[in-house]
Amino acid sequence: MRPPVIAVDGTAASGKGTLARRLAAYFGFAHLDSGVLYRLTALGVLEAGGDPGLESDALAAARALDQARAGELVLRSDAVGAAASKLAAIASVRAALLHYQRQFIDHPPGAAAGAVVDGRDIGTVICPDADAKLFVDAAPEVRAHRRWQELAGLGIQRNEAQVLEELVHRDAADRARAVAPLRQAQDAALLDTTNLGIDAAFAAALALVEPRLAAKLEAKPRG
Ligand code: C5P
């Protein structure tokens, strides 16, 4: 039997990454930010002077993914995010990144007891039978403000209106693509974080996830 999985999908800067990290820490599960895979691929294309919308360029980068660079600040830039969204619409690129995600779920690293994976298509495509699924969203202005703050904290100064525009554009593209579009899985619980700080959002996430996981978890989760 595969280990328990929590799928956390949602819009850009909705707080899904932070929630996924905290859920993973709470349950002692491994965490995968699947967006990093798309961002690393985008970085590879951009650094090679390629076109993220071109299948041959994007696929070559997806196949040569350098996981060692997963923590690099440059991955967080909007240019990389926009390029990631472009190549994320290419079916063969998604297929090339699928195996890594499924492996992570089937064999969580560090012999962790389970996995929390965040992204856009985790509950719909990567792991449709996940034990618990969240779909995280918030008002675009709130998400843009959070992203702007996050970037400022990283020393990246941006115009907030521009951040909002890019975010709305990227969500629209992610929702409209033909392959693995951003959408709430039928059995995912919706979590709107518009009016929630991170602690309140985590409490709400836990309240939604814990009952769904209960049957699968033998031991009492760690606090
Ligand atoms: O989550 P993050 O903003 O890092 O994702 C960057 C882009 O990668 C998204 O806009 C989306 O197009 C793509 N992505 C995806 N499927 C995932 C994770 C990310 O298509 N599971």
Side-chain angles (χ1 to χ4, degrees), residues 38-39 42-43 45-46 52-53 78-88 170:
Y38 293 88
R39 286 177 183 265
L43 186 64
V45 173
L46 296 177
D78 286 325
V80 169
S85 180
K86 253 191 190 168
L87 56 79
R170 186 144 65 89

Side-chain angles (χ1 to χ4, degrees), residues 16 34-35 38-39 84-85 88 94 119-121 170 174 177:
K16 63 186 186 315
S34 66
Y38 293 88
R39 286 177 183 265
S85 180
R94 302 197 72 85
R120 303 293 188 291
D121 64 338
R170 186 144 65 89
D174 286 346
R177 69 183 174 217

Side-chain angles (χ1 to χ4, degrees), residues 8-13 16-17 33-39 75-76 80-89 94 101 117-122 126 147 170-171 173-174 177 179-182:
V8 184
D9 290 305
T11 49
K16 63 186 186 315
D33 170 1
S34 66
V36 166
L37 305 176
Y38 293 88
R39 286 177 183 265
L75 287 180
R76 304 324 311 168
V80 169
S85 180
K86 253 191 190 168
L87 56 79
R94 302 197 72 85
Q101 297 171 75
V117 187
D118 71 85
R120 303 293 188 291
D121 64 338
I122 309 305
I126 301 297
R147 172 55 55 87
R170 186 144 65 89
D171 281 345
D174 286 346
R177 69 183 174 217
V179 48
L182 165 66

Side-chain angles (χ1 to χ4, degrees), residues 28 33 40 58 69 73 85 97 102 113 116 136 140 146 152-154 161 199:
D33 170 1
L40 280 170
R69 303 187 66 184
L73 190 61
S85 180
L97 299 177
R102 293 245 170 101
V116 184
V136 189
R146 287 181 192 151
L154 294 171
D199 287 338

Side-chain angles (χ1 to χ4, degrees), residues 74-218:
V74 64
L75 287 180
R76 304 324 311 168
S77 75
D78 286 325
V80 169
S85 180
K86 253 191 190 168
L87 56 79
I90 303 171
S92 60
V93 171
R94 302 197 72 85
L97 299 177
L98 186 135
H99 180 69
Y100 179 85
Q101 297 171 75
R102 293 245 170 101
Q103 276 290 113
F104 190 100
I105 284 168
D106 289 340
H107 308 284
V116 184
V117 187
D118 71 85
R120 303 293 188 291
D121 64 338
I122 309 305
T124 52
V125 175
I126 301 297
C127 191
D129 66 342
D131 302 279
K133 298 181 187 179
L134 287 179
F135 190 86
V136 189
D137 200 2
E141 292 74 16
V142 171
R143 292 189 284 119
H145 186 67
R146 287 181 192 151
R147 172 55 55 87
W148 175 82
Q149 271 183 324
E150 180 195 344
L151 292 173
L154 294 171
I156 303 171
Q157 301 301 331
R158 294 290 318 278
N159 175 294
E160 194 170 328
Q162 218 176 346
V163 171
L164 172 62
E165 198 181 306
E166 286 169 3
L167 192 137
V168 168
H169 179 79
R170 186 144 65 89
D171 281 345
D174 286 346
R175 283 189 193 278
R177 69 183 174 217
V179 48
L182 165 66
R183 68 175 177 84
Q184 182 180 349
Q186 211 194 340
D187 52 350
L190 176 65
L191 177 57
D192 187 326
T193 65
T194 303
N195 298 308
L196 301 178
I198 183 58
D199 287 338
F202 177 64
L206 202 54
L208 292 167
V209 163
E210 222 165 11
R212 294 179 184 220
L213 270 187
K216 190 128 181 180
L217 291 173
E218 288 163 16

